Structure formats: structure tokens, C-alpha cells
């Protein structure tokens, strides 16, 4: 399906959900065979548990200029999230030290998922959408709560 930019908003309004729209294969000059959502999901699946947990948390925040302190001070929330994301028979205790957090942020930057500044980070809105759309209703609620608690901490 080829979208013209002037029709994008109309397609978005007609789509059953953001997930439906991003699952569409958009042919452009590169003729890339996968949808935006599929491309990001494949990348996200390659992340380590802490990096994936951080990405899920920041998926519920404003995308630009996220204070790094929100992430570095959210160790308990991130650990909680990792435990929920792991299958019961694969429970892994994760480290949330300052070093481990920095390593996870560097991992996210290495996949071009976030951009890092000295005191903040930013994530693309599409990545946030893909991350949220991949959660079931229970997880969506729990991560929303974690994001609110992390901001208020």
C-alpha cells in the first residue's frame, strides 16, 4: 500500500487502531518489505531485559528530553517490569546499579532507539507506539502506573 502524505491523516482516522496502520506495508523508494511495526519489534526483541524494561517505561513518557534521572532512579519499577516480562521458568534477577542503567541506555542508543544527551534522552514516537501496542491490557495498566510512580519519585 502506498500512502500519500496528504492522505495519511485520513488513513489514520479510518484505521481501527494505530497498530493496524503501522502494520501496513508501505512501499517507498526503497521497497522495504516489512512494516514499521515489524521492523521495530524485531529490534526490540534483541534487547536485554533491562534495556527492554527501560524502553517500555519511557514509552509512557513525553518522548523528548526525558530526564535521565527518571530512568536511573526507577530501578525498583524496572526490576518489577522485567520480572513480569520474563516467563515464570526463566526468572532472572537483574542489576539496576548506575552502571547497569548506563549500559542499558547505551544498548538502546546502539540500536538507534534512543538518543542520549548528558542529562536527558529522547525516543521516537513510533517506537513508543510500537512498544505500547505490544502490551496486553494488564501490562498496559501496570506500565502506565510505573511511569506515573517513576515521574513522581
Amino acid at each position: 500500500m502506498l500512502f500519500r502524505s496528504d492522505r495519511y491523516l485520513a488513513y489514520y482516522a479510518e484505521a481501527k487502531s494505530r497498530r493496524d496502520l503501522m502494520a501496513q506495508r508501505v512501499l517507498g523508494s526503497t521497497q522495504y518489505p516489512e512494516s514499521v511495526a515489524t521492523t521495530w519489534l524485531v529490534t526490540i526483541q534483541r534487547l536485554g531485559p533491562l534495556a527492554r524494561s527501560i524502553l517500555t517505561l519511557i514509552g509512557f513518557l513525553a518522548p523528548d528530553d526525558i530526564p535521565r534521572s527518571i530512568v536511573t532512579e526507577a530501578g525498583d519499577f524496572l526490576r518489577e517490569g522485567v520480572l513480569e516480562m520474563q516467563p515464570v521458568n526463566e526468572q532472572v534477577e537483574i542489576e539496576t546499579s548506575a552502571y547497569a542503567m548506563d549500559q542499558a541506555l547505551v544498548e538502546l542508543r546502539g540500536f538507534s532507539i534512543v538518543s542520549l544527551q548528558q542529562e536527558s534522552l529522547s525516543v521516537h514516537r513510533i517506537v513508543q507506539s510500537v512498544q505500547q501496542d505490544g502490551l496486553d491490557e494488564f501490562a498496559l495498566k501496570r506500565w502506565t502506573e510505573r511511569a506515573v510512580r517513576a515521574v513522581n519519585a
Side-chain angles (χ1 to χ4, degrees):
M1 175 179 281
L2 181 60
F3 291 155
R4 289 187 2 219
S5 60
D6 61 333
R7 294 288 300 149
Y8 183 81
L9 289 176
Y11 290 136
Y12 187 80
E14 292 171 11
K16 293 178 186 165
S17 71
R18 174 179 63 205
R19 186 182 308 177
D20 292 339
L21 186 61
M22 287 198 303
Q24 294 295 317
R25 182 172 171 237
V26 179
L27 299 177
S29 61
T30 62
Q31 303 290 311
Y32 189 70
E34 301 298 334
S35 72
V36 171
T38 301
T39 302
W40 280 115
L41 282 172
V42 167
T43 301
I44 290 167
Q45 290 170 353
R46 295 179 63 194
L47 296 172
L50 182 57
R52 190 177 307 168
S53 190
I54 290 170
L55 181 60
T56 305
L57 178 71
I58 66 175
F60 291 89
L61 304 175
D64 299 316
D65 299 318
I66 300 166
R68 287 176 79 149
S69 61
I70 289 177
V71 173
T72 58
E73 295 172 12
D76 291 339
F77 308 132
L78 296 169
R79 190 177 302 109
E80 222 176 71
V82 167
L83 292 175
E84 281 181 12
M85 290 190 294
Q86 298 292 322
V88 176
N89 61 345
E90 294 180 25
Q91 293 294 313
V92 177
E93 183 61 32
I94 64 154
E95 181 184 349
T96 56
S97 66
Y99 176 76
M101 295 286 200
D102 281 345
Q103 290 299 103
L105 289 172
V106 167
E107 181 180 0
L108 290 168
R109 185 187 62 196
F111 282 102
S112 300
I113 294 173
V114 300
S115 60
L116 298 176
Q117 295 79 42
Q118 187 69 27
E119 299 296 324
S120 65
L121 63 128
S122 299
V123 60
H124 197 284
R125 287 168 181 79
I126 292 176
V127 174
Q128 288 181 306
S129 298
V130 169
Q131 190 66 15
Q132 287 179 18
D133 290 345
L135 300 175
D136 63 32
E137 190 174 327
F138 175 76
L140 195 61
K141 182 177 187 262
R142 295 286 290 152
W143 279 104
T144 301
E145 291 169 355
R146 282 188 191 104
V148 170
R149 291 186 318 191
V151 168
N152 289 328

